[in-house]
Amino acid sequence: MPPEDLRSAAPRIAPTFADNVVAWQRSHGRSELPWQNTRDPYRVWLSEVMLQQTQVSTVLGYFARFLDRFPTVQALAGGTEDEVFALWSGLGYYSRARNMHRCAQEVLSRFGGEFPRTAAELQTLPGIGRSTAAAIAAFCFGERVAILDGNVKRVLSRVLGFDGDLASAAQERALWNEATELLPPASAPNAIGYYTQGLMDLGATVCLPRKPSCIICPVADVCEARKEGAPEKYPVKTRKLRRTAQSLWMLNARDSQGRVWLEKRPARGIWAGLYCLPVFESRTALLDELAPADRLSARDEAGFVHALTHKDLHLHPISVVCSEVHVATAGGWFDDREWPALGMPAPVRKLLSVV
Ligand code: SF4
């Protein structure tokens, strides 16, 4: 017995699969998105990173603003982390922004300002995983290499009837191998871009997590999951994230001019590197931070829950008008024209916008 039961996507699907995906992409796929119709790896990389965990409709505005401020990888490398965070503010998952900034700097320092042209080399850059590297290499340099982001995992596991548990690294590797076998042949060098985009488009518009539109799907005739009549059973992934909860108290301190006190979070941990209201693990710890006179004017605001990937944060804002600078945490006062331009966690921005 092998150490792990690697469930093969046994029934080989018809060799017309890639052709069907390419033909469908050319006639029905998306073609007007601002990061399409370009072979500029900077734009493709930017869009790929922004689209991780984020809807296309949300990314559109961010993509335009980002390119406006940082039109090239050189410009991005020369910007400050604060500027990058500010432009990213609201997209969440700030490690993506931090890695993008580092990646741009490495493109300059290690590759002379040009993105490398192979998926293998692209993967050595910060924040570029196997699938993102493959997408850039396929779209920009025509490399015949497979992508496997969340949407594509869903499409391929359904088409293949791949019922291995993708929580297992070995099963995920097996699906990567299947994805590589399904690529258009090397004899059709121009197909890889359409094919890659086609799989992305199918996952985003047809083969949806719930109620996939099999009736209009271009690969329905070879799809194992459709034949079984249970597409939603795929992909199989058993490991469930255990959600936790945490309560935090946030000090919304204003000075006599109405400016708000913000501090820059440490480089590690929650909201790393972002500007934030001072955060405390208890109400007492927050109040202890204030001068006695300010403590008397402290007022509890309505609390709210902010959901992170693995955790619900129960946030309890406390407002206070400080007579003088009595906030002991390291930070600064920012007025209403200054703080909107800072990179800050979404719940803090929301709180400052309404309070
Ligand atoms: S036939 Fe249905 S389940 Fe299969 S790939 Fe198409 S949309 Fe997805």
Side-chain angles (χ1 to χ4, degrees), residues 83-119:
E83 282 182 287
V84 175
F85 279 158
L87 282 166
W88 201 268
S89 194
L91 270 180
Y93 303 94
Y94 282 86
S95 56
R96 290 184 293 171
R98 184 176 299 107
N99 279 332
M100 283 193 81
H101 192 221
R102 288 187 191 145
C103 178
Q105 291 173 334
E106 284 198 24
V107 168
L108 261 64
S109 63
R110 289 175 50 208
F111 296 100
E114 301 282 340
F115 277 85
R117 299 175 68 89
T118 65

Side-chain angles (χ1 to χ4, degrees), residues 155 158-159 202 206-208 212-215 217-220 223 225-226 231:
V155 174
R158 287 175 177 176
V159 168
L202 273 179
V206 177
C207 193
L208 301 174
S213 306
C214 302
I215 198 151
C217 178
V219 294
C223 179
R226 188 194 60 84

Side-chain angles (χ1 to χ4, degrees), residues 2 7-8 31 69 78 86 93 96 135 173 176 203 230 247 266 271 281 286 294 301 327 343:
R7 306 298 300 272
S8 161
S31 60
R69 170 62 189 87
Y93 303 94
R96 290 184 293 171
R173 269 198 307 280
W176 272 108
S247 285
W271 301 328
E281 299 214 333
L286 184 153
D294 294 334
E301 306 288 350
V327 182

Side-chain angles (χ1 to χ4, degrees), residues 131 147-158 175 179 196 199-201 203:
S131 192
I147 62 163
L148 201 59
D149 62 16
N151 278 350
V152 175
K153 273 181 195 163
R154 185 170 61 253
V155 174
L156 293 188
S157 64
R158 287 175 177 176
L175 187 57
T196 303
L199 285 183
M200 289 178 169
D201 292 352

Side-chain angles (χ1 to χ4, degrees), residues 54-325:
T54 312
Q55 302 280 335
V56 168
S57 54
T58 305
V59 166
L60 287 169
Y62 281 89
F63 184 77
R65 285 190 293 278
F66 212 89
L67 272 183
D68 201 39
R69 170 62 189 87
F70 299 123
T72 61
V73 69
Q74 287 81 3
L76 176 56
T80 65
E81 193 175 79
D82 279 349
E83 282 182 287
V84 175
F85 279 158
L87 282 166
W88 201 268
S89 194
L91 270 180
Y93 303 94
Y94 282 86
S95 56
R96 290 184 293 171
R98 184 176 299 107
N99 279 332
M100 283 193 81
H101 192 221
R102 288 187 191 145
C103 178
Q105 291 173 334
E106 284 198 24
V107 168
L108 261 64
S109 63
R110 289 175 50 208
F111 296 100
E114 301 282 340
F115 277 85
R117 299 175 68 89
T118 65
E121 281 183 299
L122 284 160
Q123 261 189 89
T124 67
L125 287 162
I128 299 190
R130 181 172 175 180
S131 192
T132 301
I136 300 168
F139 286 134
C140 304
F141 307 117
E143 185 176 351
R144 193 174 160 274
V145 61
I147 62 163
L148 201 59
D149 62 16
N151 278 350
V152 175
K153 273 181 195 163
R154 185 170 61 253
V155 174
L156 293 188
S157 64
R158 287 175 177 176
V159 168
L160 294 159
F162 184 97
D163 62 358
D165 182 356
L166 293 178
S168 141
Q171 294 292 354
E172 186 167 297
R173 269 198 307 280
L175 187 57
W176 272 108
N177 292 340
E178 298 284 351
T180 302
E181 282 184 34
L182 290 173
L183 290 172
S187 56
N190 295 328
I192 189 69
Y194 291 108
Y195 175 79
T196 303
Q197 186 65 53
L199 285 183
M200 289 178 169
D201 292 352
L202 273 179
T205 64
V206 177
C207 193
L208 301 174
R210 293 209 195 122
K211 297 201 172 71
S213 306
C214 302
I215 198 151
I216 57 163
C217 178
V219 294
D221 58 337
V222 297
C223 179
E224 289 297 318
R226 188 194 60 84
K227 283 182 208 157
E228 291 170 12
E232 293 178 27
K233 130 179 178 198
Y234 301 95
V236 177
K237 191 163 186 177
T238 56
R239 193 194 300 145
K240 296 270 185 276
L241 290 174
R242 235 187 65 226
R243 289 192 73 72
T244 55
Q246 185 180 11
S247 285
L248 294 173
W249 280 258
M250 304 183 107
L251 174 60
N252 186 11
R254 304 282 176 157
D255 68 2
S256 55
Q257 298 168 50
R259 296 179 302 175
V260 63
W261 183 268
L262 297 172
E263 62 178 22
K264 195 163 184 199
R265 301 278 308 161
R268 294 194 172 279
I270 186 172
W271 301 328
L274 299 179
Y275 283 88
C276 191
L277 297 173
V279 171
F280 301 86
E281 299 214 333
S282 73
R283 189 172 185 279
T284 308
L286 184 153
L287 294 176
D288 283 350
E289 196 73 8
L290 301 175
D294 294 334
R295 210 173 293 153
L296 289 175
S297 69
R299 200 175 36 148
D300 291 275
E301 306 288 350
F304 59 101
V305 179
H306 179 71
L308 299 175
T309 322
H310 309 141
K311 188 186 270 190
D312 288 331
L313 293 180
H314 295 258
L315 301 175
H316 309 277
I318 294 185
S319 295
V320 65
V321 176
C322 293
S323 45
E324 281 296 331
V325 182

